[in-house]
Amino acid sequence: MKHLAAAAILALAPAFAGAAETTEAYDTLFRTGTLDDIRRDATLVYGREVESAGAEGTGAEEGTIELSFATEGEGPETATLMLYRDGQHRNLGSFPAGVGNPMIMYFYESVVRDMAVASGGSPFYIRNRVKEALTREVPVEAGTATFEGAEIDVSRVTLHPFADDPNAGRMEGFDDLALTVTMSEAVPGWYLSLEAIAPGPEAPLYRSTTRFRNVEEER
Protein backbone atom coordinates (compact mmCIF):
# COMPACT_ATOMS: atom_id res chain seq x y z
CA MET A 1 0.00 0.00 0.00
CA LYS A 2 1.23 3.44 -0.85
CA HIS A 3 2.47 5.52 2.08
CA LEU A 4 0.31 8.45 3.10
CA ALA A 5 2.97 11.06 3.83
CA ALA A 6 2.47 13.25 6.86
CA ALA A 7 2.94 16.27 4.60
CA ALA A 8 -0.11 15.29 2.57
CA ILE A 9 -2.22 14.82 5.68
CA LEU A 10 -1.07 18.15 7.06
CA ALA A 11 -2.34 19.79 3.88
CA LEU A 12 -5.77 19.50 5.47
CA ALA A 13 -4.71 20.76 8.90
CA PRO A 14 -6.11 23.96 10.43
CA ALA A 15 -3.00 25.82 9.31
CA PHE A 16 -4.22 25.82 5.71
CA ALA A 17 -6.87 28.37 6.59
CA GLY A 18 -4.14 30.82 7.55
CA ALA A 19 -5.59 34.26 8.10
CA ALA A 20 -9.03 33.23 6.89
CA GLU A 21 -11.84 33.26 9.44
CA THR A 22 -12.94 29.84 10.54
CA THR A 23 -16.52 28.66 10.96
CA GLU A 24 -18.20 26.93 13.91
CA ALA A 25 -18.13 23.67 11.97
CA TYR A 26 -14.43 24.03 11.20
CA ASP A 27 -13.55 24.81 14.81
CA THR A 28 -15.60 21.83 15.97
CA LEU A 29 -13.96 19.45 13.49
CA PHE A 30 -10.43 20.68 14.18
CA ARG A 31 -10.89 21.26 17.88
CA THR A 32 -7.61 21.84 19.69
CA GLY A 33 -6.61 20.20 22.94
CA THR A 34 -8.53 16.98 22.26
CA LEU A 35 -5.54 14.88 23.36
CA ASP A 36 -4.64 16.91 26.43
CA ASP A 37 -6.47 14.67 28.91
CA ILE A 38 -5.25 11.37 27.46
CA ARG A 39 -2.64 9.55 29.54
CA ARG A 40 0.67 9.51 27.70
CA ASP A 41 1.19 5.80 28.30
CA ALA A 42 -2.18 5.03 26.69
CA THR A 43 -3.06 4.23 23.07
CA LEU A 44 -6.25 5.27 21.28
CA VAL A 45 -7.50 2.51 18.99
CA TYR A 46 -9.67 3.00 15.89
CA GLY A 47 -10.95 0.63 13.23
CA ARG A 48 -11.24 1.55 9.54
CA GLU A 49 -13.40 -0.37 7.08
CA VAL A 50 -13.90 0.40 3.39
CA GLU A 51 -16.56 -0.84 0.98
CA SER A 52 -16.19 0.07 -2.67
CA ALA A 53 -17.74 -1.03 -5.95
CA GLY A 54 -14.19 -1.05 -7.30
CA ALA A 55 -12.50 -2.25 -4.12
CA GLU A 56 -9.89 -4.32 -5.93
CA GLY A 57 -8.48 -1.25 -7.61
CA THR A 58 -8.69 1.35 -4.87
CA GLY A 59 -5.83 0.17 -2.68
CA ALA A 60 -7.91 1.53 0.21
CA GLU A 61 -6.35 1.25 3.65
CA GLU A 62 -8.28 -0.91 6.12
CA GLY A 63 -7.36 -2.23 9.52
CA THR A 64 -6.65 -1.00 13.03
CA ILE A 65 -5.20 2.46 13.57
CA GLU A 66 -3.41 3.19 16.84
CA LEU A 67 -2.55 6.63 18.16
CA SER A 68 0.29 6.75 20.67
CA PHE A 69 2.51 9.45 22.15
CA ALA A 70 6.24 10.07 22.06
CA THR A 71 8.77 12.76 22.88
CA GLU A 72 12.12 12.92 21.09
CA GLY A 73 14.80 14.64 23.12
CA GLU A 74 13.75 18.17 23.92
CA GLY A 75 11.45 18.37 20.93
CA PRO A 76 7.66 18.73 21.08
CA GLU A 77 5.46 15.84 22.09
CA THR A 78 4.06 13.98 19.10
CA ALA A 79 1.04 11.80 18.36
CA THR A 80 1.95 8.93 16.04
CA LEU A 81 -0.54 7.01 13.90
CA MET A 82 0.21 3.38 13.06
CA LEU A 83 -1.86 1.16 10.75
CA TYR A 84 -2.05 -2.57 11.59
CA ARG A 85 -3.39 -5.19 9.20
CA ASP A 86 -2.75 -8.88 8.58
CA GLY A 87 0.18 -9.02 10.96
CA GLN A 88 1.91 -6.02 9.39
CA HIS A 89 2.14 -2.40 10.46
CA ARG A 90 3.01 0.93 8.87
CA ASN A 91 3.70 4.38 10.24
CA LEU A 92 1.14 6.89 8.92
CA GLY A 93 2.97 9.88 10.37
CA SER A 94 3.73 11.83 13.54
CA PHE A 95 2.05 15.12 14.41
CA PRO A 96 2.26 17.73 17.19
CA ALA A 97 0.13 16.36 20.03
CA GLY A 98 -0.68 19.81 21.32
CA VAL A 99 -2.59 20.74 18.17
CA GLY A 100 -5.23 18.05 18.55
CA ASN A 101 -6.14 14.58 17.32
CA PRO A 102 -4.65 13.95 13.83
CA MET A 103 -7.33 11.33 13.05
CA ILE A 104 -9.45 14.06 11.48
CA MET A 105 -6.67 14.91 9.02
CA TYR A 106 -5.99 11.25 8.26
CA PHE A 107 -9.69 10.68 7.60
CA TYR A 108 -10.00 13.42 5.02
CA GLU A 109 -6.73 12.60 3.30
CA SER A 110 -7.47 8.87 3.10
CA VAL A 111 -10.83 9.62 1.45
CA VAL A 112 -9.11 11.98 -0.99
CA ARG A 113 -6.72 9.21 -1.99
CA ASP A 114 -9.45 6.54 -2.25
CA MET A 115 -11.59 8.78 -4.44
CA ALA A 116 -8.68 9.76 -6.69
CA VAL A 117 -7.81 6.11 -7.31
CA ALA A 118 -11.40 4.94 -7.79
CA SER A 119 -12.52 7.82 -10.02
CA GLY A 120 -9.26 8.52 -11.83
CA GLY A 121 -9.47 12.16 -10.72
CA SER A 122 -6.72 14.46 -9.56
CA PRO A 123 -5.98 14.20 -5.81
CA PHE A 124 -4.98 17.88 -5.89
CA TYR A 125 -8.37 18.91 -7.26
CA ILE A 126 -10.24 16.64 -4.84
CA ARG A 127 -8.20 17.86 -1.87
CA ASN A 128 -8.84 21.49 -2.77
CA ARG A 129 -12.59 20.88 -2.95
CA VAL A 130 -12.49 19.32 0.51
CA LYS A 131 -10.54 22.32 1.79
CA GLU A 132 -13.15 24.66 0.36
CA ALA A 133 -15.95 22.64 1.94
CA LEU A 134 -14.25 23.01 5.32
CA THR A 135 -14.54 26.79 5.09
CA ARG A 136 -18.27 26.84 4.24
CA GLU A 137 -20.96 27.60 6.76
CA VAL A 138 -22.55 24.24 7.54
CA PRO A 139 -24.59 23.33 10.60
CA VAL A 140 -23.17 21.59 13.66
CA GLU A 141 -25.98 19.20 14.53
CA ALA A 142 -26.63 18.09 18.10
CA GLY A 143 -27.72 14.52 18.66
CA THR A 144 -27.10 11.33 20.60
CA ALA A 145 -25.22 8.10 19.94
CA THR A 146 -24.44 4.87 21.73
CA PHE A 147 -20.97 4.58 23.22
CA GLU A 148 -19.82 1.77 25.51
CA GLY A 149 -23.42 0.77 26.13
CA ALA A 150 -24.62 4.23 27.11
CA GLU A 151 -26.33 7.08 25.26
CA ILE A 152 -24.10 10.14 24.92
CA ASP A 153 -24.51 13.63 23.52
CA VAL A 154 -22.72 14.18 20.21
CA SER A 155 -22.09 16.85 17.61
CA ARG A 156 -22.20 15.99 13.90
CA VAL A 157 -20.86 17.85 10.91
CA THR A 158 -21.56 16.73 7.34
CA LEU A 159 -19.75 18.13 4.32
CA HIS A 160 -20.72 17.75 0.65
CA PRO A 161 -17.50 18.89 -1.07
CA PHE A 162 -18.73 18.38 -4.63
CA ALA A 163 -22.21 19.88 -4.42
CA ASP A 164 -22.73 21.94 -7.60
CA ASP A 165 -19.19 21.14 -8.75
CA PRO A 166 -18.78 21.95 -12.47
CA ASN A 167 -16.88 18.69 -12.96
CA ALA A 168 -19.51 16.50 -11.27
CA GLY A 169 -20.16 14.55 -14.46
CA ARG A 170 -16.57 13.31 -14.51
CA MET A 171 -16.47 12.04 -10.92
CA GLU A 172 -17.77 8.52 -11.53
CA GLY A 173 -20.58 8.94 -8.99
CA PHE A 174 -18.47 10.58 -6.29
CA ASP A 175 -20.14 13.96 -6.84
CA ASP A 176 -22.68 13.03 -4.12
CA LEU A 177 -19.96 12.20 -1.59
CA ALA A 178 -20.92 13.05 2.00
CA LEU A 179 -18.35 13.29 4.80
CA THR A 180 -19.84 12.97 8.30
CA VAL A 181 -17.89 13.30 11.55
CA THR A 182 -19.47 12.51 14.91
CA MET A 183 -17.78 13.97 18.01
CA SER A 184 -18.33 13.94 21.75
CA GLU A 185 -16.74 15.06 25.00
CA ALA A 186 -17.46 11.55 26.30
CA VAL A 187 -15.14 9.92 23.76
CA PRO A 188 -11.38 9.92 24.43
CA GLY A 189 -9.77 11.93 21.64
CA TRP A 190 -13.10 13.59 20.66
CA TYR A 191 -13.93 11.58 17.50
CA LEU A 192 -16.50 8.77 17.78
CA SER A 193 -16.85 8.06 14.05
CA LEU A 194 -15.73 9.46 10.71
CA GLU A 195 -17.69 8.27 7.69
CA ALA A 196 -17.60 8.96 3.98
CA ILE A 197 -20.40 7.73 1.70
CA ALA A 198 -20.89 8.03 -2.05
CA PRO A 199 -24.36 6.57 -2.68
CA GLY A 200 -25.03 4.28 -5.61
CA PRO A 201 -28.26 3.23 -7.36
CA GLU A 202 -28.65 0.09 -5.20
CA ALA A 203 -25.70 0.04 -2.78
CA PRO A 204 -23.08 2.63 -1.84
CA LEU A 205 -20.50 3.20 -4.54
CA TYR A 206 -18.04 3.88 -1.73
CA ARG A 207 -18.20 3.82 2.05
CA SER A 208 -15.36 4.46 4.46
CA THR A 209 -16.02 4.14 8.19
CA THR A 210 -13.49 4.89 10.91
CA ARG A 211 -14.72 4.39 14.46
CA PHE A 212 -13.17 4.75 17.88
CA ARG A 213 -12.82 1.36 19.58
CA ASN A 214 -11.11 1.73 22.92
CA VAL A 215 -8.19 3.00 24.97
CA GLU A 216 -5.36 0.55 25.64
CA GLU A 217 -3.13 1.05 28.64
CA GLU A 218 0.64 0.64 28.41
CA ARG A 219 1.59 -2.86 27.26
Side-chain angles (χ1 to χ4, degrees):
M1 293 183 291
K2 185 178 179 181
H3 178 64
L4 257 180
I9 299 176
L10 286 170
L12 286 167
F16 92 80
E21 292 186 7
T22 58
T23 65
E24 180 188 4
Y26 185 96
D27 292 338
T28 302
L29 289 167
F30 288 94
R31 185 175 180 178
T32 59
T34 50
L35 298 178
D36 291 355
D37 295 333
I38 307 299
R39 288 180 49 176
R40 275 15 191 183
D41 61 352
T43 298
L44 302 186
V45 182
Y46 301 82
R48 183 174 193 249
E49 299 179 352
V50 180
E51 305 169 40
S52 175
E56 294 182 358
T58 63
E61 295 180 318
E62 292 185 291
T64 298
I65 300 170
E66 296 188 356
L67 185 158
S68 59
F69 301 93
T71 302
E72 296 184 7
E74 297 182 357
E77 187 177 48
T78 59
T80 297
L81 299 181
M82 298 288 293
L83 174 70
Y84 294 84
R85 182 182 182 185
D86 298 331
Q88 299 181 332
H89 66 275
R90 187 161 59 82
N91 190 334
L92 298 173
S94 296
F95 311 87
V99 174
N101 190 335
M103 282 300 299
I104 185 68
M105 296 179 282
Y106 171 77
F107 166 66
Y108 287 127
E109 183 58 31
S110 60
V111 172
V112 166
R113 179 178 178 272
D114 289 351
M115 178 178 168
V117 173
S119 68
S122 163
F124 304 103
Y125 183 87
I126 296 168
R127 187 178 296 112
N128 285 335
R129 298 293 77 75
V130 173
K131 285 183 179 181
E132 289 178 2
L134 287 167
T135 64
R136 296 173 193 156
E137 291 283 358
V138 296
V140 178
E141 300 178 352
T144 60
T146 301
F147 175 62
E148 295 184 341
E151 188 174 87
I152 61 172
D153 293 327
V154 300
S155 298
R156 289 190 181 90
V157 175
T158 299
L159 305 179
H160 296 88
F162 306 105
D164 302 320
D165 191 287
N167 293 302
R170 301 166 59 186
M171 292 184 178
E172 301 293 334
F174 278 85
D175 51 299
D176 289 329
L177 182 71
L179 306 172
T180 301
V181 180
T182 302
M183 301 149 280
S184 175
E185 295 274 10
V187 179
W190 185 235
Y191 304 110
L192 176 61
S193 64
L194 309 97
E195 186 174 48
I197 301 179
E202 298 181 359
L205 175 68
Y206 169 83
R207 183 198 300 269
S208 162
T209 304
T210 301
R211 187 176 178 87
F212 176 80
R213 288 183 180 170
N214 62 285
V215 178
E216 292 186 354
E217 301 301 329
E218 186 177 16
R219 298 166 183 170

